[in-house]
Amino acid sequence: MEIKKRDIRALTKEQLRDFFVREGDKAFRGNQVYEWLWSKGAHAFEDMTNISKETRQKLETHFVINHIKVDQMQKSADGTIKNAVRLHDGLIVESVLIPAKNRTTACVSSQVGCSLDCKFCATARLKRMRNLNPDEIYDQVVAIDKESRLYHNRPLSNIVFMGMGEPLMNYKNVLKAIDKITSPEGLGMSPKRIVVSTSGVPKMIKKMADDEVKFKLAVSLHSAINETRTSIMPFNATFPLEDLREALEYWYAKTKNRITYEYVVWDGINDSKKDVDALIKFCKFAPSKVNLIEYNPIDDGEFQQANSKAIDMYVSMLEAHNITVTVRRSRGKDIDAACGQLANKT
């Protein structure tokens, strides 16, 4: 009878140790295999050179390593790299390496497609196929770290969960991936260098606070007026700003961590003084920072970047109220790798 093979990276170290004991082997074999799977990033059992051939064949009989494959890599004129990542079942997600003067950042995906319906985002037009497993998230980071070392001569320094999907709709797997990324037995990165960006799922923001997560929180806000936000992010009708604010107040009370708001200003949508006044009022309940993000068209012309006067108005009014604000220029637009453009065109 053929043995149904399990994804070996779904097992904990303890489960691997138990497997070897049941097979009449030493428990420490589980530690060795675990190290190969995570710290050393082995793609195949035959790569595990300090393990006997017999043991490797046993692993081959019982397990598979569902490793990702970078199907296509595109390099932007500004040094940004976009990966089309093929998963073990043939589905594709995208991840991006964003270089800056003193750091490199990985923008990773958490779902195949997205279940939310933000009208300005290309990924939202894709049907959500499934959540990514922890190892599939982890592998995106490993691949980008290798590219960072190869093309920019430095290890990956930061991670943002701002790729395809809503991370809080895949909360359990995202947390497991971050545990592996920050573990000394994984990549050993500091959780303070990781940002999880959400469109705003109040219940899950509260859960993050209760779980005492160490990474940073960003909220894709774009309007602090319910009517406007619902028109561009229809799920806001289900999770209105009042609920989001309550959850963020809870987050800050529990964590004392500043909240970052991601905010695009569009022509004729949220470019008036009334919009800035509402944002200032929304920001005031807890220490916050506003990232004003350059808009990246997704081809239909419904959304257009606001003019520089509107951006200047946002900056001056926010600063006048002692709210930290930065204007973020988009990277990788020539390869559709900028914010909102990930849509599997590759």
Side-chain angles (χ1 to χ4, degrees):
M1 188 177 77
E2 188 179 343
I3 297 172
K4 186 178 180 183
K5 295 185 180 184
R6 297 177 64 191
D7 176 5
I8 193 167
R9 288 192 296 172
L11 273 61
T12 64
K13 188 197 289 187
E14 290 68 33
Q15 288 171 324
L16 275 173
R17 286 169 61 88
D18 290 345
F19 166 78
F20 280 105
V21 171
R22 285 197 309 272
E23 292 292 315
D25 207 330
K26 301 282 194 300
F28 79 86
R29 292 273 178 245
N31 299 4
Q32 290 178 307
V33 172
Y34 191 87
E35 184 181 7
W36 276 108
L37 293 172
W38 298 106
S39 297
K40 297 179 179 178
H43 288 212
F45 296 117
E46 63 187 29
D47 297 338
M48 301 178 181
T49 50
N50 65 343
I51 295 171
S52 71
K53 187 175 181 181
E54 182 187 359
T55 301
R56 281 181 270 158
Q57 286 174 339
K58 188 182 295 182
L59 289 169
E60 197 81 55
T61 301
H62 287 87
F63 302 108
V64 291
I65 304 174
N66 286 330
H67 219 280
I68 68 161
K69 178 189 174 192
V70 176
D71 225 29
Q72 184 178 354
M73 185 187 77
Q74 293 174 277
K75 292 180 73 175
S76 166
D78 64 21
T80 300
I81 294 172
K82 182 171 77 168
N83 292 326
V85 174
R86 185 172 296 277
L87 309 175
H88 70 93
D89 54 5
L91 295 173
I92 302 271
V93 294
E94 294 179 343
S95 56
V96 182
L97 166 62
I98 307 160
K101 187 176 180 182
N102 299 314
R103 66 182 185 180
T104 52
T105 300
C107 177
V108 299
S109 295
S110 55
Q111 296 180 309
V112 185
C114 188
S115 55
L116 301 183
D117 47 12
C118 303
K119 292 184 177 179
F120 53 84
C121 179
T123 307
R125 299 181 176 187
L126 305 174
K127 178 184 174 185
R128 189 190 76 80
M129 305 292 286
R130 68 171 175 86
N131 289 333
L132 292 189
N133 297 326
D135 52 280
E136 293 170 327
I137 297 169
Y138 182 89
D139 285 352
Q140 291 175 71
V141 176
V142 171
I144 290 176
D145 179 52
K146 287 178 181 175
E147 291 167 349
S148 179
R149 293 169 190 269
L150 179 62
Y151 296 108
H152 297 284
N153 299 312
R154 62 168 73 102
L156 181 69
S157 59
N158 296 74
I159 301 170
V160 293
F161 281 79
M162 295 183 188
M164 300 171 72
E166 165 55 62
L168 298 194
M169 296 291 197
N170 186 18
Y171 180 73
K172 185 172 73 170
N173 288 351
V174 165
L175 241 61
K176 284 182 178 178
I178 291 174
D179 282 345
K180 286 286 189 295
I181 290 164
T182 57
S183 167
E185 296 179 313
L187 300 180
M189 290 187 69
S190 168
K192 293 179 180 177
R193 293 182 173 272
I194 299 173
V195 177
V196 171
S197 178
T198 175
S199 295
V201 187
K203 174 182 167 184
M204 299 312 297
I205 291 171
K206 289 181 178 179
K207 178 156 179 54
M208 284 169 58
D210 287 338
D211 288 344
E212 299 180 349
V213 300
K214 304 301 182 191
F215 51 78
K216 295 178 181 176
L217 171 66
V219 177
S220 184
L221 188 64
H222 311 302
S223 178
I225 300 170
N226 265 321
E227 184 181 11
T228 303
R229 194 167 193 257
T230 300
S231 72
I232 57 176
M233 304 169 80
F235 71 87
N236 185 72
T238 306
F239 304 130
L241 287 164
E242 294 79 12
D243 293 352
L244 176 58
R245 174 168 173 159
E246 182 198 355
L248 292 171
E249 285 177 332
Y250 186 85
W251 161 269
Y252 182 71
K254 281 266 191 175
T255 68
K256 294 294 182 280
N257 285 337
R258 182 172 74 169
I259 301 156
T260 297
Y261 296 108
E262 309 287 353
Y263 200 102
V264 178
V265 186
W266 290 286
D267 183 44
I269 293 175
N270 60 349
D271 58 351
S272 71
K273 182 178 180 296
K274 176 182 75 171
D275 295 296
V276 193
D277 286 336
L279 176 59
I280 290 167
K281 185 179 178 183
F282 194 87
C283 286
K284 281 294 187 180
F285 69 88
S288 59
K289 172 187 175 184
V290 176
N291 281 338
L292 295 175
I293 303 171
E294 184 180 0
Y295 179 59
N296 308 296
I298 55 171
D299 75 25
D300 55 14
E302 181 183 352
F303 292 87
Q304 296 295 328
Q305 171 76 27
N307 62 42
S308 58
K309 285 185 179 178
I311 304 298
D312 291 344
M313 175 181 66
Y314 264 89
V315 171
S316 61
M317 288 179 67
L318 286 163
E319 287 181 340
H321 285 82
N322 299 313
I323 297 167
T324 303
V325 56
T326 60
V327 179
R328 240 173 48 194
R329 302 299 174 194
S330 289
R331 309 290 299 273
K333 288 195 286 187
D334 56 328
I335 55 170
D336 289 330
C339 285
Q341 291 186 319
L342 299 187
N344 285 344
K345 286 186 184 178
T346 51

